[in-house]
Amino acid sequence: MSQDILRTAGPAVPLDDARIAPEKWLVLGAVFLAAVMMPLGFVAPVVALPAIGAELGGSAVALNWVVNGAFLAFGSAVMAAGALADMFGRKRLFGIGLVAYTILSLIVAFSPTLLVLDIARTLQGAAGALAMIAGFAALAQEFEGRARTRAFSILGTGFGIGIAFGPIIGGALIGSLGWRAIFVAVAILSLGVLAVGVPRLRESRDPDAKRFDIWGVVAFTVTLTLLTLAIMQGPQSGWSSPLVLALIGGFVVMLGAFLAIERAQERPMLDVTLFTYPRFLAVQSLPVAVAYSFIVVLFVLPARLVGIEGMSAAEAGLLMLPLSAPIAIIPFLGALLTKWVPAGPLSGLGLIIGAVGLGLLAFVAPGAGPVAFVLPLLLIGVGAAIPWGLMDDLAVSVVPKERAGMAVGIFATARVAGESIAIAVTGAVLLGFAQAGLVRAGKLAPDAVIATANGMVGGKLGEAALAAPSLGTGLLTQLYADAFSAAMLVLAAITLVAALIAIVFVRRHEVKDEDEADETLVLCEPEGV
């Protein structure tokens, strides 16, 4: 692949041209509505997990699939969604995805068992990927240059609104109408987006997209599923158990098969040659860093606030506001700052701020009170919000405009699949530290260690105390605090590494040719690479 393909998704546009034409605002508004609704549907159920478990029962692993299943399906489907949107039309796929998302939301709302709920949530994640990626790809056809940067930063704000108010709305609905009301509300919002948004889009597709890479989709989905299952099962069965080793071996085999399938395609769903460029990999590190510095905290913290700190779902949702609210405000400001500060150092600075917040959160003691969480969560939220609105535009900018579906699909895969894996990894790390602490604290049978650790990490101290009555609630609380602290420090280290990558490998560059010398956004390697 030539170096030119790594420059922009279209002709060079002066960076000071960030105006959005009046007629384009309706198009932007359509996708913006979906950008608010989708993350709300993913985040709000997090605070509902204790209530779902109390009504439907199920193990900690089964309850985790309420979250992990949706993320795993979203991450598995995003590249396929981009390819389908390029082939069959972005507007058409946007509408189909919204219809499916609405129906599945209602199925989740009225699920009689946890198994039905988990299956419906998984399918809902795939439907959400179809709608979201098709909408983003449609939007990429409408804007160029800094106007596109501004448009995607506005979408980042929409995502932020959904994330910021998801825990609060979820907590309020649980307290007043019950956890099922969350999914009914999401279905109503989805219907609103379908009615108001879809008519505002114009149809577009890639004329060169001829066939759908079905085997690539299957191979990628199986690959990601095997990896996630291995990470989740490792602390339960032991990393050297035959089951976990089989899952890891299957992952390696399927990853090789997926790469071979994509290399053999004339029009691959994933152009794997892009990953030979350090500059392209650098952009993928941004969503991975945000996953470990922000997304996992969003999903791990409610269990501590409700189960360890003794808060209600509504109180926990309100305390999450310092973490989530910056995503609703700062992405737009971050796009404006790129007029004076390069995107790479700006993103790296944000990740450093987030790492500091994770370090402070690691040392908040159980029972310290809600105020002790505010500053660490605010720093984590601000740190993630700075690169949040810049990442999507950077991803679209590395492929030709007509392959926008592939560009958004690849990036969204790294973003959402990375989030799914990050949630599983952090859960495994937290469980591992909890198990290690229990082994040091007393002589428990291996099954008792696993059961106690699952109860602790899930915020169910009562279940943990029943599994290890000799240890006492006070000691279990302290062991949980030690495990939580160690896990947050691991996340801080990952975030700092990603910050260094962003600062070194992503920066603005001046592109000149025979006809023009406009400044445009590219991803550059440092000198000597």
Side-chain angles (χ1 to χ4, degrees):
M1 181 172 294
S2 68
Q3 296 289 331
D4 294 337
I5 201 170
L6 295 174
R7 292 185 177 175
T8 63
V13 177
L15 286 175
D16 59 356
D17 183 12
R19 294 173 295 176
I20 297 177
E23 65 272 14
K24 301 288 189 181
W25 281 104
L26 291 176
V27 177
L28 179 58
V31 185
F32 177 84
L33 290 174
V36 173
M37 183 267 296
M38 292 291 177
L40 191 150
F42 279 107
V43 173
V46 175
V47 296
L49 291 182
I52 293 173
E55 179 177 341
L56 300 182
S59 65
V61 175
L63 279 173
N64 284 337
W65 275 105
V66 175
V67 173
N68 282 349
F71 267 86
L72 180 63
F74 196 110
S76 300
V78 285
M79 282 195 298
L84 288 170
D86 285 344
M87 184 180 302
F88 297 109
R90 285 108 187 193
K91 176 180 178 179
R92 177 182 301 174
L93 271 294
F94 184 58
I96 292 173
L98 285 173
V99 170
Y101 191 85
T102 302
I103 294 172
L104 288 163
S105 295
L106 293 174
I107 293 175
V108 171
F110 296 102
S111 295
T113 66
L114 186 59
L115 177 61
V116 173
L117 191 151
D118 281 343
I119 293 172
R121 278 285 288 172
T122 300
L123 295 174
Q124 188 186 32
L130 191 62
M132 199 71 264
I133 300 310
F136 269 52
L139 194 69
Q141 308 303 307
E142 305 287 345
F143 301 96
E144 295 177 354
R146 284 200 60 82
R148 187 177 60 207
T149 300
R150 188 181 180 193
F152 275 104
S153 70
I154 292 173
L155 286 188
T157 302
F159 265 92
I161 292 172
I163 289 176
F165 293 99
I168 297 175
I169 293 173
L173 288 174
I174 292 168
S176 58
L177 300 174
W179 65 265
R180 297 179 188 272
I182 294 175
F183 302 102
V184 174
V186 168
I188 293 172
L189 286 174
S190 183
L191 279 175
V193 175
L194 185 65
V196 177
V198 173
R200 303 293 188 268
L201 288 174
R202 66 181 178 91
E203 188 60 279
S204 63
R205 57 174 54 87
D206 180 3
D208 296 325
K210 303 299 182 184
R211 57 192 297 269
F212 180 59
D213 183 13
I214 180 63
W215 292 114
V217 172
V218 171
F220 180 78
T221 301
V222 174
T223 300
L224 185 58
T225 301
L226 289 173
L227 176 60
T228 304
L229 287 173
I231 294 171
M232 294 180 65
Q233 196 62 36
Q236 307 296 331
S237 302
W239 293 102
S240 60
S241 68
L243 174 60
V244 174
L245 292 177
L247 289 171
I248 293 173
F251 159 71
V252 173
V253 170
M254 290 307 302
L255 177 61
F258 170 68
L259 295 177
I261 290 170
E262 293 306 291
R263 287 184 178 276
Q265 295 291 324
E266 181 181 353
R267 295 274 296 179
M269 177 179 63
L270 170 65
D271 190 345
V272 295
T273 61
L274 286 173
F275 291 94
T276 63
Y277 293 88
R279 49 196 167 195
F280 184 77
L281 287 172
V283 178
Q284 310 311 311
S285 73
L286 292 176
V288 171
V290 170
Y292 282 97
S293 65
F294 172 73
I295 297 296
V296 295
V297 178
L298 199 66
F299 284 90
V300 169
L301 190 60
R304 171 172 177 173
L305 297 180
V306 174
I308 306 299
E309 305 295 336
M311 299 181 187
S312 67
E315 291 170 336
L318 185 61
L319 188 55
M320 299 288 283
L321 190 60
L323 174 67
S324 56
I327 297 292
I329 303 169
I330 293 180
F332 184 71
L333 300 178
L336 296 178
L337 287 175
T338 58
K339 295 179 69 173
W340 301 282
V341 182
L346 187 62
S347 299
L349 174 63
L351 296 178
I352 291 172
I353 293 172
V356 172
L358 287 167
L360 294 177
L361 181 62
F363 295 103
V364 176
V371 176
F373 289 91
V374 173
L375 179 59
L377 295 182
L378 184 62
L379 290 176
I380 294 170
V382 170
I386 291 175
W388 188 274
L390 305 175
M391 297 188 295
D392 294 283
D393 180 63
L394 287 171
V396 174
S397 298
V398 299
V399 298
K401 181 179 178 181
E402 63 271 14
R403 297 305 307 277
M406 183 190 72
V408 176
I410 292 174
F411 180 75
T413 298
R415 189 171 193 165
V416 184
E419 289 167 0
S420 175
I421 293 171
I423 293 170
V425 167
T426 303
V429 169
L430 193 54
L431 271 172
F433 283 128
Q435 290 174 359
L438 288 168
V439 170
R440 292 193 302 268
K443 295 181 179 180
L444 296 177
D447 289 345
V449 169
I450 294 173
T452 305
N454 283 334
M456 292 164 56
V457 172
K460 300 178 180 179
L461 280 182
E463 291 185 9
L466 288 176
S470 62
L471 298 183
T473 303
L475 179 56
L476 291 176
T477 300
Q478 185 57 51
L479 292 175
Y480 171 85
D482 294 341
F484 186 89
S485 176
M488 292 304 105
L489 292 177
V490 170
L491 299 184
I494 294 172
T495 306
L496 284 175
V497 171
L500 180 61
I501 292 173
I503 292 171
V504 173
F505 286 94
V506 184
R507 59 188 174 90
R508 291 196 181 277
H509 183 68
E510 189 172 299
V511 178
K512 297 182 179 180
D513 57 30
E514 296 177 357
D515 300 321
E516 58 188 2
D518 290 330
E519 186 185 9
T520 187
L521 183 65
V522 298
L523 309 180
C524 296
E525 296 170 350
E527 297 298 331
V529 175

